[in-house]
Amino acid sequence: MSALRRKFGDDYQVVTTSSSGSGLQPQGPGQGPQQQLVPKKKRQRFVDKNGRCNVQHGNLGSETSRYLSDLFTTLVDLKWRWNLFIFILTYTVAWLFMASMWWVIAYTRGDLNKAHVGNYTPCVANVYNFPSAFLFFIETEATIGYGYRYITDKCPEGIILFLFQSILGSIVDAFLIGCMFIKMSQPKKRAETLMFSEHAVISMRDGKLTLMFRVGNLRNSHMVSAQIRCKLLKSRQTPEGEFLPLDQLELDVGFSTGADQLFLVSPLTICHVIDAKSPFYDLSQRSMQTEQFEIVVILEGIVETTGMTCQARTSYTEDEVLWGHRFFPVISLEEGFFKVDYSQFHATFEVPTPPYSVKEQEEMLLMSSPLIAPAITNSKERHNSVECLDGLDDITTKLPSKLQKITGREDFPKKLLRMSSTTSEKAYSLGDLPMKLQRISSVPGNSEEKLVSKTTKMLSDPMSQSVADLPPKLQKMAGGAARMEGNLPAKLRKMNSDRFT
């Protein structure tokens, strides 16, 4: 405990989890007794913790005959008590039937009454009654051959029955012994040595909210080509109104990166990153208290010793998922080897974790960033202003000629709309100005009116200086020309302006 606090800090505390999942009992330094969480009502699971599926098939009707079409698999799937009962019953019925056939042959030939006659040759020697016929069948079927009871060549029907007995016995032995062998060699018991953590946890890993659980292998023999998959079982209703009671969704545990292929030598922590593609994108600590779901974990692999495929299953309900927890480390480095402490396999400790869902975190990040939201709104406003100008142009072309002349003079509002661009456009426009104006515009407190006045002044200064440099006579002529131009008709003034432009 002290080593854990030295490694992770005093903010972390180990949490002892019970196998029943009834609640958590935090323990920490200097903490008083805390109120124990009230256990939730146990609800029906789809898959038990030991991997058994709680599904029963009913109202099959005539479909039950399909089980007889695959009789061998049906017998293998039965429980052991039924397998043993069928095994004993089949052999007992077969032995009694064949013993009865030998007794009927002896009875029809009269061997039961003439067996002690010296010169009489019976079908089967030393068969006097049903028990002796039964013993003869057992000796023949088990190939014991004591030599006291044997078949003679004076009985062709006995020879035919003997051949039938040999064939039938071989079929029964192959069927029943093969069924028992497959039943015993099933790798279901291998799954008993594959461990899953009692709880799943949700915490931050590599800066992302992650769902995690732990798997382990108790045997030294490895699981070849071990692969893990996760399914989320959750009821939902489609937009069309259809209710799906057990909708299965896939949880990505590293399929795209190959992380689902396990080298299961030591306990591993399986991670599912909660992102926009995850079914838990909207899951938060508060909403998890009202959600109902079940996470089914399936671990598959090939048993190294037998070469048979093994599958282990477990599940986690919503009350078995701990928010803001992390698994206790179980691997330590010893002298020359790594040691796994399975006593801490199920233990977790609390870590700081935001109680919000990934969707809520992204929304808060979007609202708190000053560079993302204004850029989006400004682009929308620019697009709307351009559309508004295009609409004004379309409307103007549809007006009468007299109104078009009136609106043709009213370009001021449209110019104002184009000038009222965003701050980013103003910043780009400053790059086209001279360096002197850029320095002036960068000084805080300079408004656009001052900037325009200074620009006009700078543009007019060279003209005034050029007039001032002329002789007095030419200055008078320049002033007179300006006055004469002001007195010219509008048509001449337009011609002069077109010539210079």
Side-chain angles (χ1 to χ4, degrees):
M1 185 80 67
S2 60
L4 178 66
R5 294 195 185 98
R6 286 197 302 270
K7 184 176 181 180
F8 296 98
D10 294 334
D11 295 336
Y12 300 90
Q13 57 180 351
V14 178
V15 177
T16 304
T17 57
S18 60
S19 59
S20 60
S22 59
L24 307 175
Q25 297 178 353
Q27 298 176 357
Q31 294 183 354
Q34 298 183 2
Q35 184 178 3
Q36 188 176 1
L37 297 177
V38 179
K40 291 185 178 181
K41 184 179 179 181
K42 185 177 180 181
R43 68 178 184 87
Q44 185 65 42
R45 308 174 70 104
F46 188 74
V47 178
D48 288 337
K49 298 295 287 184
N50 58 2
R52 187 178 65 87
C53 299
N54 293 323
V55 178
Q56 293 184 359
H57 304 283
N59 298 327
L60 296 178
S62 60
E63 301 297 332
T64 54
S65 60
R66 295 176 178 266
Y67 290 102
L68 298 178
S69 61
D70 190 10
L71 185 60
F72 185 81
T73 306
T74 303
L75 293 177
V76 173
D77 289 340
L78 292 176
K79 295 183 178 180
W80 269 107
R81 54 178 176 265
W82 293 109
N83 279 109
L84 293 176
F85 175 76
I86 293 174
F87 186 85
I88 296 173
L89 180 63
T90 303
Y91 272 110
T92 303
V93 171
W95 292 346
L96 291 176
F97 173 75
M98 295 306 300
S100 301
M101 295 297 294
W102 288 110
W103 181 82
V104 168
I105 290 176
Y107 179 78
T108 55
R109 288 175 56 88
D111 296 341
L112 301 179
N113 299 325
K114 302 177 182 179
H116 298 283
V117 178
N119 56 356
Y120 181 75
T121 302
C123 181
V124 179
N126 300 318
V127 173
Y128 310 111
N129 46 26
F130 183 79
S132 60
F134 184 78
L135 291 175
F136 169 74
F137 167 76
I138 294 297
E139 293 175 9
T140 306
E141 180 67 23
T143 64
I144 297 175
Y146 293 118
Y148 182 70
R149 297 178 180 87
Y150 55 92
I151 188 172
T152 62
D153 57 353
K154 303 296 184 180
C155 183
E157 59 270 27
I159 297 174
I160 296 174
L161 182 60
F162 177 77
L163 296 176
F164 176 75
Q165 171 187 329
S166 300
I167 295 174
L168 180 62
S170 300
I171 294 175
V172 172
D173 290 342
F175 190 83
L176 293 181
I177 295 176
C179 178
M180 298 297 290
F181 176 78
I182 295 297
K183 182 84 174 169
M184 289 185 294
S185 61
Q186 276 186 329
K188 289 183 178 181
K189 294 301 179 182
R190 178 64 177 89
E192 298 293 334
T193 55
L194 296 175
M195 292 182 61
F196 296 92
S197 58
E198 294 178 354
H199 292 81
V201 298
I202 295 179
S203 61
M204 300 298 294
R205 171 173 280 197
D206 297 330
K208 299 179 181 179
L209 197 64
T210 308
L211 170 71
M212 295 173 284
F213 58 91
R214 179 178 279 174
V215 296
N217 182 15
L218 297 179
R219 290 188 180 273
N220 293 327
S221 59
H222 301 166
M223 292 289 295
V224 182
S225 301
Q227 184 179 10
I228 195 163
R229 295 182 292 116
C230 291
K231 294 286 186 180
L232 176 64
L233 304 182
K234 185 177 179 181
S235 301
R236 71 180 182 91
Q237 189 172 5
T238 62
E240 295 79 14
E242 181 184 4
F243 179 72
L244 305 177
L246 290 174
D247 188 28
Q248 298 186 12
L249 301 175
E250 187 75 20
L251 293 181
D252 186 10
V253 289
F255 178 77
S256 58
T257 60
D260 58 335
Q261 304 291 333
L262 307 181
F263 182 55
L264 197 58
V265 178
S266 60
L268 298 176
T269 301
I270 311 301
C271 301
H272 166 68
V273 178
I274 302 177
D275 51 11
K277 298 180 180 179
S278 172
F280 294 132
Y281 182 60
D282 299 333
L283 183 66
S284 62
Q285 186 177 9
R286 177 178 297 179
S287 64
M288 194 170 62
Q289 299 176 0
T290 57
E291 289 283 345
Q292 286 192 355
F293 59 85
E294 185 173 352
I295 303 172
V296 179
V297 181
I298 305 171
L299 175 61
E300 293 179 342
I302 301 174
V303 182
E304 188 179 29
T305 54
T306 61
M308 303 184 70
T309 303
C310 173
Q311 185 181 95
R313 297 181 297 268
T314 191
S315 68
Y316 301 98
T317 55
E318 68 279 353
D319 56 343
E320 295 173 346
V321 179
L322 306 180
W323 190 282
H325 285 247
R326 188 181 298 166
F327 286 108
F328 195 94
V330 294
I331 301 178
S332 61
L333 178 60
E334 302 294 337
E335 296 182 359
F337 62 93
F338 292 92
K339 182 180 179 180
V340 180
D341 184 13
Y342 278 99
S343 63
Q344 303 293 336
F345 183 82
H346 304 285
T348 63
F349 58 93
E350 295 181 355
V351 292
T353 305
Y356 309 104
S357 65
V358 176
K359 182 179 181 180
E360 294 173 347
Q361 294 180 25
E362 292 179 354
E363 291 177 353
M364 289 187 294
L365 181 63
L366 185 64
M367 294 175 61
S368 62
S369 177
L371 300 176
I372 300 176
I376 298 174
T377 54
N378 289 337
S379 63
K380 292 181 179 179
E381 290 176 359
R382 283 199 304 272
H383 182 69
N384 294 335
S385 62
V386 172
E387 289 182 353
C388 183
L389 291 174
D390 296 338
L392 288 175
D393 294 338
D394 296 338
I395 295 173
T396 304
T397 56
K398 296 179 181 179
L399 293 175
S401 58
K402 189 175 183 180
L403 292 179
Q404 288 183 16
K405 293 179 180 179
I406 296 174
T407 56
R409 301 180 196 142
E410 301 296 334
D411 293 336
F412 185 68
K414 296 166 70 174
K415 292 181 179 179
L416 285 179
L417 287 175
R418 292 190 176 93
M419 290 175 63
S420 60
S421 59
T422 59
T423 56
S424 60
E425 292 178 345
K426 292 178 181 178
Y428 291 134
S429 63
L430 290 177
D432 301 331
L433 295 176
M435 295 299 297
K436 187 175 181 180
L437 293 181
Q438 292 185 23
R439 294 193 189 98
I440 295 172
S441 62
S442 62
V443 178
N446 291 330
S447 60
E448 293 184 4
E449 291 79 1
K450 294 181 180 179
L451 183 61
V452 172
S453 63
K454 290 181 180 181
T455 306
T456 308
K457 184 178 180 181
M458 291 181 64
L459 295 175
S460 61
D461 285 343
M463 186 180 296
S464 61
Q465 291 176 3
S466 62
V467 174
D469 295 338
L470 295 175
K473 189 175 182 179
L474 294 178
Q475 291 182 12
K476 293 179 180 180
M477 292 176 65
R483 286 192 297 269
M484 288 175 62
E485 185 178 0
N487 297 326
L488 291 175
K491 189 173 181 179
L492 293 177
R493 286 201 302 268
K494 185 177 180 182
M495 292 172 64
N496 290 334
S497 61
D498 293 338
R499 188 193 315 167
F500 290 104
T501 56

